[in-house]
């Protein structure tokens, strides 16, 4: 039973560019949440997708956007990259509207130069 | 909104000793408190969780206690082993909030 799969594992982008990160949820899960984890910090909530709609959003600018597909997989898009966007981006999947039972992927390490 | 504070930021113990990590939360409506272990290069892995209707939960060498009145919860690891070395995060959530609020993490080092 595959867990949460994220791609790519590492990425280097130049300031001002755009990036797309991908996530496939754990089998049986239909909700995807994205978190940003800066070095030495705890993960911070970006947004959550359920039934192909953004259900909740954290305190992140509109440069961060997402999408969920009918197969429950999800993408995180970041436009106009800043040096401060360098972080580990984690995807977590869960079931329905449950506020527990999250499974995290290994993340995508984004470096902005 | 909810704020979770975690202490200590680093903890070093000898193999076989116990380790305790403490967290406090600010929103009295929070009712779900998971603990995650994150190893280098990996995502957080759930190791134990507790809901506000119980005061303690144990799973082999790991236990979590919750004091709703004081709004704090703790992770206890007994008989520590070198493979317990990792960063541990506490978090809080509630039914009306579909996301987790994390503490800043504790780096645990278990010395052989």
């Amino acid at each position: 039973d595959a867990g949460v799969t994220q791609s790519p594992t590492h990425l280097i982008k130049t300031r001002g560019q755009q990036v797309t990160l991908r996530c496939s949820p754990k089998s049986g899960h239909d909700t995807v949440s994205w978190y940003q984890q800066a070095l030495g910090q705890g993960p911070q909530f970006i947004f959550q997708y359920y039934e192909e709609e953004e259900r909740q959003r954290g305190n992140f600018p509109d440069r961060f956007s997402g999408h969920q597909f009918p197969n429950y997989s999800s993408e995180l898009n970041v436009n106009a990259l800043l040096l401060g966007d360098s972080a580990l981006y984690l995807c977590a999947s869960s079931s329905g509207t449950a506020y527990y039972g999250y499974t995290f992927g290994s993340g995508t390490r984004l470096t902005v130069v | 909104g909810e704020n979770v504070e975690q202490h200590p930021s680093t903890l070093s113990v000898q193999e076989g000793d116990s380790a305790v990590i403490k967290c406090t939360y600010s929103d009295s409506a929070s009712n779900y408190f998971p603990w995650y272990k994150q190893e280098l290069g990996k995502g957080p892995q759930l190791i134990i969780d507790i809901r506000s209707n119980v005061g303690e939960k144990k799973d082999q060498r790991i236990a979590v206690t919750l004091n709703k009145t004081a709004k704090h919860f703790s992770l206890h690891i007994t008989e520590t082993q070198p493979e317990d070395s990792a960063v541990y995060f506490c978090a809080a959530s509630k039914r009306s909030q579909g996301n987790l609020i994390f503490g800043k993490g504790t780096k645990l080092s278990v010395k052989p």
Side-chain angles (χ1 to χ4, degrees), chain A residues 6-11 21 87-90 106-110:
Chain A
Q6 292 188 242
S7 63
T9 54
H10 296 83
L11 203 52
L21 311 181
L88 180 67
Y89 288 84
L90 295 164
S106 294
T108 295
R109 171 70 64 185
L110 173 65

Side-chain angles (χ1 to χ4, degrees), chain A residues 36-66:
Chain A
Q36 180 194 66
Q37 186 177 21
L39 202 61
Q41 300 294 315
Q44 290 199 338
F45 176 70
I46 303 174
F47 43 55
Q48 183 181 77
Y49 277 84
Y50 174 64
E51 294 186 335
E52 302 181 48
E53 290 189 358
E54 182 182 293
R55 189 171 72 172
Q56 282 200 345
R57 188 179 184 93
N59 188 25
F60 278 80
D62 292 344
R63 297 187 297 109
F64 290 77
S65 63

Side-chain angles (χ1 to χ4, degrees), chain B residues 7-94:
Chain B
H7 299 280
S9 57
T10 60
L11 180 59
S12 182
V13 300
Q14 287 294 134
E15 182 177 359
D17 287 350
S18 295
V20 180
I21 303 171
K22 299 181 179 181
C23 288
T24 60
Y25 60 99
S26 60
D27 187 349
S28 57
S30 290
N31 58 2
Y32 174 65
F33 307 95
W35 285 89
Y36 286 86
K37 175 183 181 182
Q38 188 173 27
E39 296 174 297
L40 202 60
K42 297 184 179 181
Q45 178 187 9
L46 179 68
I47 56 172
I48 195 167
D49 57 10
I50 191 168
R51 311 234 183 143
S52 60
N53 58 346
V54 298
E56 184 174 358
K57 183 177 179 180
K58 190 173 181 179
D59 182 5
Q60 299 183 349
R61 297 186 297 110
I62 295 174
V64 57
T65 59
L66 171 66
N67 183 326
K68 287 189 293 183
T69 302
K71 290 190 284 189
H72 68 70
F73 56 112
S74 300
L75 177 70
H76 304 253
I77 306 175
T78 59
E79 301 173 14
T80 54
Q81 301 167 3
E83 51 265 38
D84 293 329
S85 297
V87 179
Y88 291 80
F89 291 97
C90 63
S93 184
K94 59 186 178 183

Side-chain angles (χ1 to χ4, degrees), chain A residues 19-20 29 31 47 58 61 69 82 96 107-108:
Chain A
V19 68
T20 297
H29 285 180
T31 302
F47 43 55
F69 300 93
L82 304 174
T108 295

